[in-house]
Amino acid sequence: MRKYTFPKDEKLTSEKLIKELFDKGSSFYLYPFKVFFMPHPGEDQSSHQVLITVSRKLFPRAVDRNLIKRRMREAYRLNKPFPEVPKKLVIAYIYSVKEKLPAAQLRERLAKTFKRF
């Protein structure tokens, strides 16, 4: 049975690792996400680590940003684990469009990003 959880150890919180991800990581764009990723440098990591962000410039109201982030976390939670990726990754999802997309569409688009890894 698959575990549909999103525990704290899967959230990317290390500032050093985030900086390294944006400096040295690879990236691609798949509407509506700009995705940065790189192999996890730690050997002891048991799962992927994910960063989810929405720009304040695109959505000045915190209510809107939080809604989109909540939908993105839910989409990630429902679509993991993805067995196609053998190495553990550090991933950043940046929401980059001005309109609020429905949860079903976000789920579908996030699932397509897994195939690109």
Side-chain angles (χ1 to χ4, degrees), residues 74-117:
E74 182 71 2
Y76 176 79
R77 186 184 72 80
L78 291 174
N79 284 307
K80 69 162 199 146
F82 33 98
E84 311 87 48
V85 183
K87 291 189 83 171
K88 299 305 176 190
L89 298 174
V90 178
I91 308 167
Y93 289 102
I94 301 172
Y95 191 83
S96 59
V97 295
K98 284 194 171 196
E99 66 265 6
K100 292 187 275 186
L101 297 176
Q105 191 174 4
L106 279 177
R107 218 174 300 128
E108 171 199 331
R109 301 306 285 178
L110 199 105
K112 286 184 180 181
T113 64
F114 296 151
K115 295 178 177 113
R116 296 278 303 262
F117 297 130

Side-chain angles (χ1 to χ4, degrees), residues 22-37:
F22 288 116
D23 289 344
K24 299 178 184 172
S26 302
S27 68
F28 62 89
Y29 181 80
L30 185 65
Y31 179 84
F33 306 112
K34 173 78 173 180
V35 182
F36 288 86
F37 66 98

